[in-house]
Amino acid sequence: MPIDKEKIKQAIRLFLEGIGEDPNREGLLETPDRVARMWEDFEKQKTFNFKLFEEFGNYNEMVLVKDIAIYSFCEHHLLPFFGKAHIAYIPDGIVCGLSKLVRSVRAFALRPQVQERLTNEIADFLASQLKPKGVAVVLEMEHLCMSMRGVMSPGHLTVTSALRGIFLSDLRTREEFLKLIDRPAL
Ligand code: ZN
C-alpha cells in the first residue's frame, strides 16, 4: 500500500484536537505535513537494491556487523523502540555489501512493529536473499511504551534472537557469534 499523505495529515490534525491541542497554533500548524513527509521518507527506505557478490576470495567464515543502530515503532502504542542490532551470516558462495545489512534492518524497522516479528523478518529476508549456511539476528531494544508509561522501566533492554541454519544446528558457531557480540548466552 502506498503512503496516503492526505490521510496522515487529516489523522494527525484530528489526533491533536483529540488530545485537546489547537492544531492551528503556530507550533503545530505544520506538524501534520511534517509527520506525513516523515512517513513518506520511511516508506522510501523500505526498498533498496540488495546487491550480491559471488567473487570474494572464498571467504567461508562468519560475517558479522554488530551494534547497528535500529529505530522502530511499537505497533501497540506507536511509540519508538530503539537500540542495537547484531547480524551475522555464514556465506555459501554469495555475500552482500555490508551496508545492505544495515539497510535490511532499516527496511523492516521503519513501520509499526513488534520486536519479535521484526527479528524474524530480518532473519528470513537475509536467508532468502543470501541463501547462506546460516544467519543470526539479535536485537537489544528499549521500548518507550515501557519506559514512559505503564510499568515505567527506563533503561531496560528487551533481547530477541532469530537463528537460522548452522547457528541453530552447530553449537560452536552459535557460541562464536555470542562471544563476538559480547553476550554469554541468549
Ligand atoms: Zn508498546
Side-chain angles (χ1 to χ4, degrees), residues 74 76-77 145:
C74 140
H76 303 132
H77 303 93
C145 64

Side-chain angles (χ1 to χ4, degrees), residues 9-98:
K9 286 201 250 179
Q10 285 168 20
I12 295 298
R13 246 177 248 121
L14 277 175
F15 167 75
L16 290 170
E17 281 175 19
I19 60 169
E21 293 287 340
D22 171 10
N24 293 315
R25 75 175 167 84
E26 196 189 342
L28 292 177
L29 200 55
E30 300 293 321
T31 298
D33 192 54
R34 280 192 205 99
V35 174
R37 279 189 276 123
M38 180 177 74
W39 280 94
E40 189 179 48
D41 184 56
F42 291 163
E43 182 66 23
K44 283 183 194 150
Q45 298 193 48
K46 284 188 198 166
T47 47
F48 61 93
N49 180 17
F50 197 92
K51 196 163 169 19
L52 298 170
F53 301 94
E54 289 182 37
E55 279 294 326
F56 53 97
N58 278 327
Y59 185 84
N60 288 309
E61 296 300 314
M62 191 180 303
V63 178
L64 166 70
V65 180
K66 61 178 188 174
D67 297 334
I68 300 169
I70 176 171
Y71 300 87
S72 189
F73 290 91
C74 140
E75 68 183 19
H76 303 132
H77 303 93
L78 294 183
L79 283 175
F81 62 105
F82 60 94
K84 289 175 184 171
H86 313 295
I87 294 183
Y89 71 98
I90 297 188
D92 190 11
I94 300 176
V95 295
C96 65
L98 296 177

Side-chain angles (χ1 to χ4, degrees), residues 161-175:
S161 67
L163 307 174
R164 306 284 187 263
I166 197 171
F167 287 94
L168 271 181
S169 59
D170 182 53
L171 184 64
R172 191 196 64 83
T173 305
R174 185 162 67 242
E175 281 180 344

